[in-house]
Amino acid sequence: MSKTTAPTDPTGDRELAEAGSQLSTAPEDSAHRLPALGVVGWARWFWRQLTSMRVALLLLLLLALAAIPGSLIPQTGTDATKVAAFRAAHTTLGPVYERLGLFHVYSSVWFSAIYLLLFVSLIGCIVPRTWQFVGQVRSRPPGAPRRLTRLPAYTTWRTGASPEQVREAALALLKKRRFRAHTAGDAVAAEKGYLREIGNLAFHVALIVLLVAFGWGQLFKSEGNKLVVEGDGFSNTLTQYDDFKSGSLFSSDDLVPFSFHLDKFTGTYEMTGPNRGTPRTYQAALTYSEGAYGKEKKTTVKVNHPLEIGDAKVYLTAHGYAPVMTVRDGKGNVVYRDAVPLLPLDNNVTSTGVVKVMDGYRNARGATEQLGIKAFFYPTFGGTGTEAGSQFPALINPLLNLEPYHGDLGVDSGIPQSVYQLDKSHMKDYKDAKGLQVRGNLKPGETLTLPGGAGSVTYEGTRQWANFQVVQEPGGGWALAGALAAILGLAGSLFLQRRRVWVRAVPSDDGVTVVEMAGLGRSESAKVPEELGDLAGLLYERAPGAPDPDPDPPVSPDPDPHVVPAEGAEQQ
């Protein structure tokens, strides 16, 4: 059997072109054809350009580049406060960004244009290629070229088996190797690797699924945050959220009906070593129910392990402390008692916040006033001088620093204000006997007495709070499925190769069968000659080689008719 060859520069004659036709569903390049004059011709030319692979890749690149400003520049749909702060800090860039739509990238006209053009380009590319691929699958592999020696991989040998036996053996062998094979004249034509085109089409379909899921999720998504103190609960209604944002087509009726109660938050931390203070346990024990009359269930929510109820996911995103404070007026009447959530400032959960007593408080003279108390909380107080502060995030040595004010909080003006900030423009601080501002460092159970019989503030103890983020993304599952399908499809289109094999068996002049085998792939690859050599070896076992004809056979001399045998000799 002769050696399998793979020429590096095969002659591109007409037969080779016909043999390699339709090895791909990519549309023929028509760039050299000028469109016909007129509106129809230009429209046809524009459509061909839009649905070409290079334009689809360009639009995909533009979409990725267009998404960069959305991650670098504050977005109104995500954090309007940061957008306002950016405009105030950048008086020149702010108006420019506003005109360009960089504060709302994903809903801007130019981003939507790229998005829709990519969507149309993918559909226009997939539909014709799908029909073309269906036609190729239903058709048979083309017949063998007249000269198989022109193909990139070729081998031949002589065998004593008849041509029909060789073709039958080749047909059985190729079908066993999952080739689509049939007999065409004096040869067997086979083809394999259709999964490459299926992977290619699956990749493009998956991109469309991703685009649809992304658009659907942006239109109908919702995301809200709620801070819940231990012992309190939450019901999934708009009025219960601390902040809430949603897509343009979202309705309050789309909220999944459920409620939960925060039973206990548990947080443990590394006590020693380089990771001292790093959380080890970070979880919230909940009691929840689905619907208005659902049965209560117990669960534990951890970081990256949300509670899933229908289409909603409840994530645990933050944690802090809420000191329980009791405020009394000059007559000893309790005018305020509650756990006040404070916001963490550092990794050791040094926290700050404000206690606002808006109603019910009367000073020593009996006049109605409002109280505002700035609070700093240290879970593990330690250090001296300027280094004093919280040394650890756990509740080991809690200390509450209070700074009281009295007057008008400004909450009755109708202007909204943060519950964590104190407007002191109409407030006065308390002075002690020395004329210094009254401040107090309290441990659990201790009381700060306000001067002049104005009342007192007692630090009762500490509860913990957890912040939950409730997310509804209706297109999330489809987006994940599309991403996985795109990866699988891309892997198939990259690592699979569509190729064809022909086996020709014809009788020679001396009656011995000459077997020719050749292979052709969509692109130059070492896999085609290797696979052809493997197939040729198996076929050679079923149709073993015959000796080559002797180029110089021995010739016996003819007897001379005029020579007469000698007398007495025996004639043979």
Side-chain angles (χ1 to χ4, degrees):
M1 181 175 65
S2 63
K3 183 179 180 181
T4 302
T5 60
T8 59
D9 186 19
T11 305
D13 58 359
R14 182 174 57 85
E15 292 182 352
L16 182 58
E18 292 177 353
S21 64
Q22 295 183 346
L23 272 175
S24 171
T25 56
E28 296 181 0
D29 186 10
S30 58
H32 62 281
R33 304 176 189 172
L34 293 177
L37 296 178
V39 177
V40 176
W42 281 106
R44 184 182 297 111
W45 178 85
F46 177 79
W47 175 254
R48 288 177 178 174
Q49 298 302 313
L50 180 61
T51 56
S52 64
M53 182 61 64
R54 57 180 176 270
V55 172
L57 293 175
L58 178 61
L59 290 173
L60 191 61
L61 176 62
L62 288 177
L63 189 68
L65 294 176
I68 294 177
S71 59
L72 299 179
I73 300 174
Q75 301 293 295
T76 54
T78 303
D79 196 333
T81 304
K82 287 186 178 180
V83 174
F86 185 92
R87 288 173 177 169
H90 304 82
T91 56
T92 303
L93 284 178
V96 176
Y97 284 4
E98 181 65 32
R99 293 190 186 96
L100 295 178
L102 296 181
F103 291 126
H104 47 89
V105 169
Y106 303 114
S107 60
S108 62
V109 175
W110 52 271
F111 188 87
S112 300
I114 299 174
Y115 183 89
L116 293 176
L117 283 175
L118 178 60
F119 191 82
V120 173
S121 177
L122 289 174
I123 293 179
C125 181
I126 289 174
V127 172
R129 292 185 68 154
T130 301
W131 285 115
Q132 184 178 357
F133 178 68
V134 171
Q136 293 180 17
V137 172
R138 297 179 61 183
S139 63
R140 289 185 170 187
R146 185 166 55 88
R147 288 176 290 181
L148 293 178
T149 55
R150 297 289 184 90
L151 297 182
Y154 173 82
T155 185
T156 182
W157 73 92
R158 292 159 51 86
T159 180
S162 65
E164 291 77 10
Q165 292 175 337
V166 175
R167 287 193 287 268
E168 289 178 1
L171 185 64
L173 173 62
L174 291 171
K175 287 184 175 181
K176 185 177 180 181
R177 288 297 186 95
R178 297 188 299 276
F179 279 83
R180 293 176 63 246
H182 71 104
T183 302
D186 59 357
V188 175
E191 188 170 4
K192 189 178 182 180
Y194 284 91
L195 288 178
R196 176 189 179 93
E197 297 301 328
I198 294 178
N200 195 1
L201 294 174
F203 173 74
H204 288 81
V205 173
L207 289 182
I208 293 181
V209 172
L210 278 174
L211 291 175
V212 173
F214 176 78
W216 186 269
Q218 291 297 313
L219 291 174
F220 292 94
K221 74 172 184 179
S222 67
E223 181 180 305
N225 290 279
K226 178 62 179 178
L227 186 150
V228 183
V229 181
E230 285 179 333
D232 294 341
F234 166 77
S235 180
N236 193 24
T237 59
L238 290 180
T239 57
Q240 290 277 303
Y241 284 99
D242 296 329
D243 62 83
F244 186 85
K245 55 180 178 289
S246 61
S248 57
L249 297 182
F250 177 83
S251 171
S252 58
D253 296 334
D254 297 329
L255 288 174
V256 177
F258 69 90
S259 61
F260 65 82
H261 183 273
L262 177 57
D263 300 325
K264 182 178 178 56
F265 180 87
T266 303
T268 60
Y269 307 87
E270 292 286 348
M271 299 297 295
T272 59
N275 295 324
R276 184 176 186 272
T278 302
R280 297 183 59 187
T281 304
Y282 207 71
Q283 61 188 32
L286 303 181
T287 300
Y288 74 98
S289 62
E290 302 180 31
Y293 306 101
K295 184 179 178 181
E296 290 188 346
K297 304 176 183 178
K298 298 283 188 178
T299 189
T300 300
V301 178
K302 302 179 181 179
V303 178
N304 297 327
H305 292 82
L307 168 63
E308 298 186 19
I309 305 175
D311 293 333
K313 294 183 179 180
V314 182
Y315 292 90
L316 175 63
T317 59
H319 155 258
Y321 295 104
V324 180
M325 284 178 271
T326 300
V327 180
R328 293 178 171 86
D329 61 11
K331 295 183 179 181
N333 299 320
V334 176
V335 295
Y336 182 91
R337 175 178 288 165
D338 201 357
V340 183
L342 304 181
L343 297 182
L345 298 176
D346 54 30
N347 292 334
N348 288 325
V349 202
T350 300
S351 307
T352 182
V354 176
V355 181
K356 296 183 180 182
V357 182
M358 295 176 286
D359 301 309
Y361 173 77
R362 294 179 182 273
N363 59 22
R365 297 185 300 273
T368 301
E369 278 190 319
Q370 293 177 334
L371 293 182
I373 307 172
K374 292 185 65 175
F376 285 89
F377 181 72
Y378 308 93
T380 303
F381 184 77
T384 57
T386 58
E387 296 182 358
S390 180
Q391 305 298 315
F392 198 73
L395 284 174
I396 298 177
N397 182 32
L399 180 73
L400 180 64
N401 177 270
L402 300 179
E403 185 179 315
Y405 294 83
H406 63 100
D408 183 8
L409 292 170
V411 294
D412 299 327
S413 63
I415 301 176
Q417 57 180 244
S418 173
V419 296
Y420 301 104
Q421 295 179 348
L422 178 64
D423 181 6
K424 296 185 290 185
S425 57
H426 301 286
M427 304 290 288
K428 296 180 181 180
D429 57 357
Y430 286 96
K431 302 291 185 179
D432 59 13
K434 297 180 181 181
L436 301 177
Q437 182 180 2
V438 174
R439 294 188 179 185
N441 292 326
L442 307 180
K443 291 188 175 182
E446 295 182 347
T447 299
L448 171 65
T449 301
L450 302 178
S456 63
V457 182
T458 303
Y459 173 26
E460 305 285 357
T462 308
R463 290 156 65 182
Q464 301 189 73
W465 60 260
N467 190 78
F468 297 94
Q469 184 180 67
V470 183
V471 179
Q472 287 186 221
E473 290 180 329
W478 285 102
L480 177 60
L484 294 177
I487 294 174
L488 294 176
L490 183 61
S493 63
L494 291 177
F495 298 108
L496 296 178
Q497 185 181 20
R498 193 168 169 187
R499 61 271 190 199
R500 289 170 178 164
V501 173
W502 292 274
V503 180
R504 172 174 287 147
V506 293
S508 62
D509 295 339
D510 57 356
V512 179
T513 301
V514 177
V515 181
E516 290 182 292
M517 291 187 69
L520 177 65
R522 180 180 174 183
S523 59
E524 292 293 338
S525 172
K527 185 176 182 179
V528 174
E530 289 179 1
E531 186 176 34
L532 184 69
D534 183 28
L535 293 172
L538 295 175
L539 184 60
Y540 188 84
E541 295 177 357
R542 305 183 185 185
D548 294 333
D550 192 348
D552 298 317
V555 179
S556 299
D558 294 334
D560 190 348
H562 299 287
V563 176
V564 179
E567 185 178 355
E570 182 179 359
Q571 187 176 0
Q572 300 193 9

